[in-house]
């Protein structure tokens, strides 16, 4: 034990008001001089624990706290997430007034807004083609509601994931033209749909693409392509979800219509009232909560509390969601239910629900989505059992592989993305999961590790003819390949992923904001942390370590989760839960650790049950401090 290491007695009275000095004491200097929190060089999940706040920014945390009269804990949380004394207001109150970018900075935005406004004024037939996930459904609902506010109808088309796949096809857009559409908006898709856009052009219709997926140099021949991730776009808004881009498009269109006198003597559309949909899409599409995205979520949660959207109101009731809206509720309760329609084979339901104003219809759709979500869970459970077994065999046979590459003929292609994500969680490698089709092709979905740009790799595979088609983001992508070329596709992926995966694996750290005891895990602390929210990707939930706490009253929840109470050295307790850990090293450690002192890391959340609030720790990692090569002894 190092000369400055605390004893267990020092940890007995850790309170959030004094956590900073305790956290500093818990650092442990390794042989190479790098600080590890509690000396944890390798946790049960293979992570090295480090303090999130860079020591070089400690003075910033102090300045933030002093300038705004904030507790030191909150100052450190803010500074660790990039706040400076002159920018704190943007973190404590992320407002659209200060964070909303000028829509005109996006390439083609003004051209597209002028065209859309002209279609509204001249009563042209407008159609919207959207994706089948939450972001796509939200985009469709945003435009449908905007047109409804102007007394204009809207044709909508959501492709069937199972029979049509992602993005517009020539046949789909031709069908919309046959129904009378003269202007077609593709939302959350269309950036790579060259043939479909050309087919629509040939009929005399015009297409506006509104998307956010990674783009190659060649763009489809659309009237306008609004995509902050197109290579010639200099707006710096590539972190927006598609719904965020659509919202900027509606702001720009409203400006055009206002300038042309459309609203003289009448009310403008309530764009702020649509932020619940933008927040939903931003959270569920797992985009970084930077700048405008934080404002979208913060203000959208306030709109959600009003329960004005009939569809979201009905879905929350069907899911028995009785607590105030949070990012957790959007991402883990409402989002999966909306996605269930697209995954199981009723792609239109999500967009219909979000655009719905009729309470009876909304309740009917919500009930269908609730049933489809239950069906999705059952199918996913069966797929996961087989996929995990095959992934374990893959890793055992090829332990140095930089990815996991799996496929099966009977896997549901609406769920392969979920399975890929779960494989990444368990095996810490990029996962490519495929459903083999009767025509000899394979439909695949891939998920990645932080700092491994999967979208770029998939796009390169398409450009070099390895994949028939594909695209996506840094962390998630979809693709199609010829099943006969699986071996060459694997070789291509291995060559492209070996180095970035090796670098990502060598730097597996768990950033921790401080040390707490169970006695300090209070609703008052959560209220304090909420002042710096909302949290999400790129703006992470504060994570704390609870040193030498003993799991007690350990019990399983279903077949995948574990719940327990963590007993502090001073006798205080905090309830804790570890999700989806059954059969993992973390799950095994907690399940077998009754009464054993463990260092446990995780984030706190407010739990509401029968109207009563309590604090719960969501366990993310743990280590047995009693000593091993992987968990050095650092406490007496």
């Amino acid at each position: 034990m190092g000369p400055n290491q605390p004893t267990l007695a020092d940890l007995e009275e850790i309170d959030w008001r004094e956590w900073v000095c305790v956290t500093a004491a818990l650092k442990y200097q390794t042989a190479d001089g790098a600080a590890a929190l509690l000396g944890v060089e390798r946790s049960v999940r293979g992570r090295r624990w480090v303090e999130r706040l860079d020591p070089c920014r400690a003075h910033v945390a102090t300045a933030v706290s002093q300038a705004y009269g904030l507790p030191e804990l909150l100052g450190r949380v803010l500074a660790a997430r990039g706040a400076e004394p002159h920018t704190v207001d943007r973190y404590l109150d992320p407002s659209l007034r200060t964070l909303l970018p000028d829509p005109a900075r996006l390439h083609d935005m003004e051209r597209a807004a002028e065209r859309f406004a002209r279609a509204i004024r001249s009563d042209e037939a407008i159609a919207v083609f959207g994706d089948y996930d939450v972001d796509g459904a939200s985009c469709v609902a945003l435009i449908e509601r905007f047109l409804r506010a102007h007394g204009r109808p809207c044709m909508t088309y959501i492709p069937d994931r199972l029979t049509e796949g992602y993005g517009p096809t020539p046949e789909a857009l031709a069908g919309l033209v046959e129904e009378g559409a003269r202007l077609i908006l593709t939302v959350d898709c269309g950036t790579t749909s060259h043939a479909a856009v050309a087919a629509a052009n040939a009929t005399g219709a015009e297409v506006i693409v509104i998307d956010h997926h990674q783009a190659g140099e060649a763009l489809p021949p659309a009237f306008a392509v609004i995509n902050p991730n197109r290579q010639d776009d200099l707006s710096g808004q590539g972190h927006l979800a598609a719904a965020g881009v659509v919202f900027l498009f509606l702001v720009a269109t409203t400006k055009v219509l206002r300038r042309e006198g459309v609203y003289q003597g009448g009310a403008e559309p309530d764009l702020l009232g649509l932020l619940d949909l933008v927040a939903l899409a931003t959270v569920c599409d797992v985009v970084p909560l930077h700048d405008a995205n934080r404002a979208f979520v913060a203000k959208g949660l306030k709109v959600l509390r009003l329960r004005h959207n009939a569809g979201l109101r009905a879905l929350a009731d069907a899911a028995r969601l009785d607590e105030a809206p949070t990012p957790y509720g959007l991402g883990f309760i409402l989002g999966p239910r909306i996605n269930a329609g697209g995954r199981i084979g009723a792609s239109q339901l999500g967009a219909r629900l979000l655009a719905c104003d009729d309470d009876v219809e909304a309740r009917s759709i919500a009930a269908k989505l609730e049933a489809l979500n239950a069906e999705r869970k059952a199918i996913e459970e069966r797929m996961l059992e087989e996929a995990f077994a095959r992934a374990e065999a893959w890793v055992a046979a090829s332990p140095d592989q930089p990815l996991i590459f799996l496929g099966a003929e009977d896997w549901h292609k609406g769920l392969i993305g979920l399975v890929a994500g779960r494989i990444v969680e368990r095996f810490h490698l990029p996962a490519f999961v495929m459903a083999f089709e009767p025509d000899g092709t394979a439909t695949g979905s891939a998920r990645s590790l932080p700092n491994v740009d999967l979208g770029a790799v998939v796009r390169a595979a398409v450009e070099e003819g390895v994949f028939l088609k594909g695209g996506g983001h840094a962390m998630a992508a979809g693709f199609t390949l010829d099943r006969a070329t699986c071996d060459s596709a694997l070789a291509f992926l291995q060559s492209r992923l070996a180095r970035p995966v090796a670098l990502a694996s060598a730097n597996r750290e768990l950033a921790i904001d401080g040390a707490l005891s169970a006695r300090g895990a209070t609703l008052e602390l959560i209220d304090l942390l909420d002042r710096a929210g909302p949290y999400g990707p790129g703006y992470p939930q504060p994570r704390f370590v609870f040193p030498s706490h003993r799991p007690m009253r350990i019990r399983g929840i279903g077949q995948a989760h574990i719940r327990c109470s963590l007993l502090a050295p001073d006798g205080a307790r905090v309830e804790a839960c570890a999700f989806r850990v059954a059969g993992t090293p973390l799950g095994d450690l907690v399940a077998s650790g009754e009464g054993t002192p463990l260092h446990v890391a995780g984030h706190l959340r407010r739990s509401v049950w029968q109207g009563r609030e309590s604090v719960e720790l969501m366990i993310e990692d743990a280590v047995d401090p009693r000593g091993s090569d992987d968990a050095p002894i650092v406490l007496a």
Side-chain angles (χ1 to χ4, degrees), residues 557-569:
I557 308 174
Q559 298 181 349
H561 317 309
I562 295 175
R563 188 179 293 279
C564 65
S565 295
L566 292 181
L567 177 65

Side-chain angles (χ1 to χ4, degrees), residues 142-395:
L142 282 168
I143 292 174
E144 188 169 347
R145 287 181 173 277
F146 183 82
L147 288 172
R148 190 182 303 156
H150 292 86
R152 300 291 185 266
C154 176
M155 290 180 276
T156 62
Y157 191 108
I158 309 290
D160 186 289
R161 181 195 293 257
L162 305 182
T163 61
E164 297 176 87
Y166 170 80
T169 62
E171 296 77 14
L173 296 195
L176 290 172
V177 174
E178 288 178 4
E179 293 180 33
R182 305 310 302 158
L183 178 64
I184 301 173
L185 311 182
T186 71
V187 291
D188 198 23
C189 58
T191 295
T192 60
S193 303
H194 299 262
V197 173
N201 290 345
T203 67
E206 291 182 317
V207 178
I208 295 174
V209 173
I210 310 175
D211 199 3
H212 70 139
H213 293 93
Q214 292 182 352
E217 290 185 15
L219 295 173
F223 180 86
V225 178
I226 308 171
N227 184 339
N229 284 306
R230 56 185 283 179
Q231 295 186 18
D232 58 351
D233 188 282
L234 304 178
S235 67
Q237 301 302 314
H239 55 281
L240 295 177
V245 182
V246 167
F247 185 82
L248 294 183
F249 173 65
L250 299 183
V251 170
T253 302
T254 301
K255 181 179 179 181
V256 173
L257 293 172
R258 183 189 306 122
R259 185 180 67 225
E260 296 178 352
V262 170
Y263 303 124
Q264 289 181 358
E268 294 188 7
D270 179 17
L271 296 183
L272 295 182
L274 300 175
L275 287 175
D276 49 1
L277 297 176
V278 183
L280 174 71
T282 299
V283 171
C284 292
D285 223 47
V286 201
V287 294
L289 287 194
H290 295 159
D291 303 325
N293 283 343
R294 294 198 66 239
F296 286 148
V297 175
K299 303 311 176 187
L301 290 173
K302 293 182 179 180
V303 175
L304 274 163
R305 292 189 186 102
L306 301 175
R307 288 169 57 90
H308 284 170
N309 185 295
L312 287 173
R313 182 171 64 244
L315 191 62
D317 292 344
R320 298 177 178 81
L321 184 61
D322 57 359
E323 57 190 76
T326 63
Y328 176 87
L330 297 182
F332 292 95
I333 298 177
L334 299 183
R337 286 164 168 80
I338 296 170
N339 272 333
R343 294 192 185 281
I344 302 300
S347 298
Q348 292 276 355
L349 286 182
R352 282 180 54 201
L353 178 81
L354 299 179
C356 180
D357 283 331
D358 181 84
D359 285 332
V360 175
E361 182 184 4
R363 286 194 294 269
S364 174
I365 297 173
K368 292 176 183 176
L369 289 172
E370 185 74 16
L372 287 171
N373 191 50
E375 182 181 349
R376 185 269 304 172
K377 288 181 180 179
I379 298 172
E380 182 185 355
E381 186 175 331
R382 293 194 297 270
M383 286 177 62
L384 279 173
E385 183 176 358
E386 180 183 353
F388 281 161
R390 295 179 63 175
E392 287 170 0
W394 174 278
V395 172

Side-chain angles (χ1 to χ4, degrees), residues 92 180 245 323 490 504 524 597:
L92 295 178
V245 182
E323 57 190 76
L490 175 58
E524 180 186 11

Side-chain angles (χ1 to χ4, degrees), residues 437-451:
E437 306 281 8
D439 64 359
T441 63
T443 299
S445 189
R447 298 293 183 269
S448 192
L449 302 172
N451 302 316

